[in-house]
C-alpha cells in the first residue's frame, strides 16, 4: 500500500516536472510577466485582483468566468508569499484544473463583490491540500520556483543583501543598523 502511494507520488512529480520543463520563464523572472505571457499563450485574459487577507477566506483563489480568469490573492503578505500564491493559482490554469472545478458562488462573491455570481463558472481555492488538484498545483508552483532559482544561479552565486531584503518584504534602500555596521567595518 505504501509502495502504491509512493508510485503515485513519483508519477505525479514526473508529470509536474514535464509540465514545468515546457514552460517559458521570463529572465529575469517576474511572476506578473509570467502570468501575462500565460494569458497571451492561452488567448484568454488573466486578471490579478489584490485583496486584503481575510481570516476565513483562502489566500489565493482562481475564479473563471466566460470572459476571463481572475487570480485573487492576498496583497498584505510578503512578496515571496504573494509570488507563491500567484504561481499556485497560475498552476491551476497550466494544469487545466479550471475545466474540472465546481463553482461555489459565495466564495467568489466575498472576494469579487462587483462580479455578478451568474457570470462565475468555476472557483478554485486553496482549502483542502489533500485534493489531487491542490497537490499538483502546489508542486507545479514549487517546481517553477526551483527552476527560477536554478536559472538565477547562472548569475551571482549569492543574492545581494538588498535582493534578499526586498524578497522578504523590506523595501530597497532601507538597511538595518546591523547591516550598516557591517558595511562600515
Amino acid at each position: 500500500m505504501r509502495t502504491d502511494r509512493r508510485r503515485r507520488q513519483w508519477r505525479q512529480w514526473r508529470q509536474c516536472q514535464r509540465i514545468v520543463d515546457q514552460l517559458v520563464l521570463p529572465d529575469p523572472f517576474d511572476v506578473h510577466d509570467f502570468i501575462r505571457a500565460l494569458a497571451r499563450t492561452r488567448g484568454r485574459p488573466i486578471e490579478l485582483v489584490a485583496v486584503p487577507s481575510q481570516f476565513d477566506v483562502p489566500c489565493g483563489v482562481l475564479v473563471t468566468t466566460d470572459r476571463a480568469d481572475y487570480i485573487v490573492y492576498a496583497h498584505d503578505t510578503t512578496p515571496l508569499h504573494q509570488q507563491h500564491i500567484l504561481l499556485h493559482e497560475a498552476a491551476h490554469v497550466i494544469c487545466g484544473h479550471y475545466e474540472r472545478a465546481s463553482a461555489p458562488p459565495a466564495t467568489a462573491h466575498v472576494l469579487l463583490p462587483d462580479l455578478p455570481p451568474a457570470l462565475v463558472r468555476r472557483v478554485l481555492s486553496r482549502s483542502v491540500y489533500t485534493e489531487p488538484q491542490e497537490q499538483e498545483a502546489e508542486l507545479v508552483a514549487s517546481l517553477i520556483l526551483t527552476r527560477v532559482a536554478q536559472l538565477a544561479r547562472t548569475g551571482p552565486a549569492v543574492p545581494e543583501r538588498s535582493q534578499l531584503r526586498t524578497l522578504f518584504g523590506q523595501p530597497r534602500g532601507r538597511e538595518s543598523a546591523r547591516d550598516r555596521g557591517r558595511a562600515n567595518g
Side-chain angles (χ1 to χ4, degrees), residues 43-117:
R44 180 176 167 78
I46 300 175
E47 297 187 26
L48 302 181
V49 181
V51 298
S53 298
Q54 296 181 34
F55 176 71
D56 56 345
V57 177
C59 56
V61 176
L62 174 65
V63 178
T64 302
T65 69
D66 289 334
R67 187 188 79 68
D69 297 320
Y70 298 86
I71 295 178
V72 182
Y73 68 99
H75 70 77
D76 51 357
T77 185
T78 67
L80 183 61
H81 189 214
Q82 284 179 23
Q83 181 181 49
H84 191 81
I85 295 166
L86 291 169
L87 286 173
H88 176 97
E89 301 310 328
H92 281 301
V93 172
I94 293 164
C95 295
H97 297 162
Y98 59 91
E99 297 168 351
R100 302 182 296 267
S102 62
T107 304
H109 185 68
V110 167
L111 295 169
L112 297 169
D114 297 330
L115 188 66

Side-chain angles (χ1 to χ4, degrees), residues 117-136:
L119 292 179
V120 176
R121 289 191 349 217
R122 290 166 178 61
V123 175
L124 283 169
S125 64
R126 294 175 157 206
S127 55
V128 182
Y129 285 99
T130 57
E131 292 180 19
Q133 289 183 351
E134 289 302 315
Q135 292 173 353
E136 189 173 53

